[in-house]
Amino acid sequence: MLTLSIDAMGGDRGLDATLPAALDILSRHPQVGLILVGDARRIEARLKEAGAPASASKDRLEVVNADQVVGMDESPAVALRQKKNSSMRVAINLVKERRADACVSSGNTGALLATARFVLKTIPGIDRPAICASLPRLGGRTYVLDLGANIGSPPAILLQFGLMGALLIHCLDGVAKPSVGLLNIGVEDIKGNETIKAAAELFKRSSLNYVGYIEANDIYTGDTDLVVCDGFVGNVALKATEGAAQMIMGAVAEEFTRNAITRAAGLLARPVLGRIRRRLDHRRYNGASLLGLKGSVVKSHGSADATGFRYALEVGIKEVNKNLVSNIENALTELPESTTLPA
C-alpha cells in the first residue's frame, strides 16, 4: 500500500484544508494510506466532528503526534534547530524511516526545503534541490522550475534543474524527449544577463532537447514542455499567474452580474464559463515537486484550501506510483560528465 505523510498543521489554513483533503483522498484511492502528523488531540477531535472514515479506510488512516508547528514567517534555521518535533519535521522523518513513501506539506517553503534537505539529503550529483510545478497553457501544461527554492542560481545549477525537470516530465508524463527552454527577456541570443548566456551554452552542449530562450508569455501560449529559470523569477511568474487567473475570473463574474441583461446572458453562457473557470483554477495545478532529494516531498501552496491540497496529495501519489525519485537517481547516475540524457 502506498502511504503519504501529511504535515496536517502546516499552511495558512492548517486542519481546515488538510483534513478534508485527506478524507477525500481516502475515498478516491482505496490503495492509499495516510499518516496525519500534528496535534493528535486536535486531529482526532476534528476527525470525530467530520465523521469517522468508512470502515474500509479506517486501517488506512493513522495519526502521529507532533507538538510543534513551523510558523509561516519563521526562518529555516529556527525550524531546523528549534522545531525538531514539528509536524513538518516528523512528516519528513517518516519518509526517511520508510514508514511513508512521500510527504506533503503546505508549510513554510524555506523551512520545508531546508528540513527536507537536512533529513533526506540530495541525490548524488545534485547540488541544490529545486521546486517544479506545472502551469496551464493553451492545449496542455508547461512545467517550470525553479519556483522559489534557489535565489541566484549559477549556470551549472540551472543545467541541473533542466536535467531533473526533463526527467520528471519523461517519468510522469511519458514524454520521450521533453523540449526545454531558458526563461529570458527575449528570444535573441544577445538578450539576457551573463548567467543566462552562460547557461545557454551549457544547455546547447548537453543532449537535452534545448529549444532556446523562452519569454514569459510563451509559458502559457507556447509549446515548450519545460521552462528553466532562477527561483526568484520563477516564484514571481507563479504568483503573477495565480493573480491574473483570479482577476480574469473576477472581472468576468462582475460583468455578467452588472444588470438584468448581463445576468441573463450569464445564464446562457454558464456551461462555457464553468469550463473556463475550471481551466484557469490555479488549485488544479497545486502541488510542486521538490526535485533532487532522496525522497519524495511535495510542496502545496501555503494558502491552499481543501480542494487545492487534495491536488497536492494527488501529485504525491503520482510521484510514488511512477517511482520518480528512483528514476531520477538512476538516470543521473548513468549520466556521463557531459551531462547527456539517456536515450
Side-chain angles (χ1 to χ4, degrees):
M1 182 173 64
L2 183 159
T3 303
L4 300 181
S5 62
I6 299 174
D7 172 12
M9 317 303 291
D12 297 332
R13 302 173 188 258
L15 290 174
D16 290 337
T18 59
L19 189 58
L23 296 178
D24 193 3
I25 285 292
L26 288 176
S27 68
R28 291 170 181 264
H29 296 277
Q31 81 286 4
V32 172
L34 302 177
I35 303 175
L36 297 172
V37 183
D39 186 329
R41 185 178 301 177
R42 288 180 59 194
I43 294 172
E44 288 166 357
R46 292 289 294 273
L47 284 172
K48 187 175 181 180
E49 291 175 7
S55 58
S57 62
K58 283 182 179 178
D59 60 346
R60 298 188 286 119
L61 182 62
E62 181 182 353
V63 177
V64 171
N65 187 63
D67 55 20
Q68 295 177 306
V69 177
V70 176
M72 296 299 282
D73 59 349
E74 288 188 271
S75 72
V78 169
L80 277 173
R81 297 171 186 169
Q82 301 178 20
K83 297 293 181 72
K84 296 181 181 180
N85 196 39
S86 68
S87 55
M88 177 186 292
R89 178 70 170 266
V90 174
I92 295 172
N93 286 344
L94 291 173
V95 176
K96 182 179 181 181
E97 296 163 6
R98 299 188 183 279
R99 290 179 58 189
D101 300 294
C103 166
V104 183
S105 173
S106 290
N108 180 318
T109 302
L112 181 67
L113 185 68
T115 303
R117 184 174 184 178
F118 177 78
V119 173
L120 300 175
K121 312 306 180 187
T122 56
I123 293 171
I126 296 300
D127 296 298
R128 303 181 192 176
I131 300 174
C132 182
S134 62
L135 297 177
R137 76 178 186 208
L138 291 175
R141 60 182 175 176
T142 301
Y143 286 87
V144 183
L145 87 167
D146 177 28
L147 290 175
N150 303 277
I151 307 301
S153 301
I157 297 298
L158 292 176
L159 179 60
Q160 289 183 11
F161 294 168
L163 292 167
M164 291 192 294
L167 289 166
L168 176 143
I169 297 171
H170 174 72
C171 180
L172 297 189
D173 294 347
V175 180
K177 202 72 171 175
S179 55
V180 181
L182 276 168
L183 189 61
N184 201 359
I185 58 173
V187 298
E188 299 84 1
D189 288 341
I190 62 171
K191 296 290 182 67
N193 56 35
E194 294 307 311
T195 298
I196 291 296
K197 291 178 180 178
E201 293 304 314
L202 293 179
F203 276 64
K204 291 174 184 176
R205 293 200 298 270
S206 77
S207 64
L208 285 166
N209 182 18
Y210 178 61
V211 297
Y213 293 143
I214 300 295
E215 293 185 285
N217 59 300
D218 290 324
I219 294 175
Y220 312 102
T221 60
D223 57 5
T224 304
D225 296 312
L226 176 69
V227 176
V228 179
C229 57
D230 172 71
F232 182 91
V233 176
N235 192 262
V236 170
L238 176 65
K239 299 298 174 57
T241 300
E242 294 171 354
Q246 293 172 20
M247 181 274 294
I248 291 170
M249 295 313 302
V252 169
E254 185 178 282
E255 292 302 322
F256 273 111
T257 57
R258 187 171 296 277
N259 53 51
I261 295 176
T262 59
R263 283 194 291 271
L267 289 173
L268 292 173
R270 179 176 290 179
V272 175
L273 291 174
R275 290 194 293 271
I276 293 174
R277 182 180 292 109
R278 177 174 170 78
R279 288 182 65 179
L280 296 181
D281 187 353
H282 65 87
R283 297 177 302 176
R284 297 179 61 235
Y285 299 89
N286 187 42
S289 303
L290 269 60
L291 298 181
L293 298 169
K294 291 182 177 180
S296 183
V297 179
V298 175
K299 173 66 174 75
S300 166
H301 199 298
S303 63
D305 61 8
T307 299
F309 195 76
R310 176 177 68 80
Y311 277 102
L313 293 174
E314 296 278 7
V315 172
I317 292 170
K318 188 173 184 179
E319 283 192 10
V320 176
N321 280 331
K322 296 288 188 177
N323 296 311
L324 176 63
V325 174
S326 296
N327 281 322
I328 290 179
E329 187 168 11
N330 292 337
L332 291 177
T333 300
E334 296 171 1
L335 289 177
E337 293 184 1
S338 59
T339 63
T340 58
L341 281 172

